[in-house]
Amino acid sequence: QVQLVESGGGLVQAGGSLRLSCAASGGIFGGRIFSMYTMAWFRQAPGKEREPVAAISSRGGATQYADSVKGRSTTSRDNARNMVYLQMNSLKPEDTAVYYCAADFTPGFVDASWTDQSVYDSWGQGTQVTVSS
């Protein structure tokens, strides 16, 4: 089973930056390896539903972002290291949440379904991001 472990969260002042990392291990699922997965980031703020943040295609050529983070965040990946990243800049208090990475083993590309949590096959445990005002 593929395991995802997020890191890089913490406490930061508004306007600051953080780089979240997600490490994948466990090798192959259904004959597909990490470099074949679409990867995504979601977040869940206290008392709110989990919401999509960003997604990246298997080779990193396509990305999608939620409007709430567009222009302030960049997702990237290093398939040689089985890593995916979320660089967040100009952080706001409303960015405070637990951030999760997720893997979709099937397609490899990013389409309109990227915001649908049900398409993802594996989830990490999350990393807390707290932005103080």
Side-chain angles (χ1 to χ4, degrees):
Q1 180 65 283
V2 174
Q3 294 181 326
L4 303 175
V5 179
E6 302 92 339
S7 61
L11 174 64
V12 63
Q13 288 188 332
S17 298
L18 280 176
R19 187 194 195 205
L20 306 184
S21 299
C22 174
S25 62
I28 300 171
F29 182 83
R32 300 176 68 85
I33 58 176
F34 176 78
S35 62
M36 298 177 179
Y37 308 154
T38 294
M39 298 295 296
W41 291 92
F42 286 75
R43 68 185 183 185
Q44 187 167 21
K48 295 187 177 181
E49 298 287 323
R50 189 159 56 183
E51 63 178 12
V53 176
I56 186 166
S57 60
S58 59
R59 296 186 178 186
T63 55
Q64 290 282 356
Y65 298 93
D67 288 344
S68 58
V69 303
K70 196 173 293 183
R72 300 188 295 121
S73 297
T74 303
T75 188
S76 59
R77 64 191 296 163
D78 183 343
N79 286 342
R81 291 179 169 81
N82 287 0
M83 297 289 295
V84 64
Y85 306 99
L86 181 66
Q87 176 70 42
M88 300 189 295
N89 303 319
S90 301
L91 283 162
K92 306 174 183 180
E94 49 264 45
D95 293 318
T96 295
V98 177
Y99 284 72
Y100 301 89
C101 68
D104 179 353
F105 300 151
T106 306
F109 51 86
V110 178
D111 62 15
S113 68
W114 80 271
T115 60
D116 182 354
Q117 297 182 46
S118 68
V119 307
Y120 295 93
D121 303 290
S122 184
W123 293 80
Q125 294 300 307
T127 185
Q128 176 70 47
V129 171
T130 303
V131 184
S132 63
S133 57

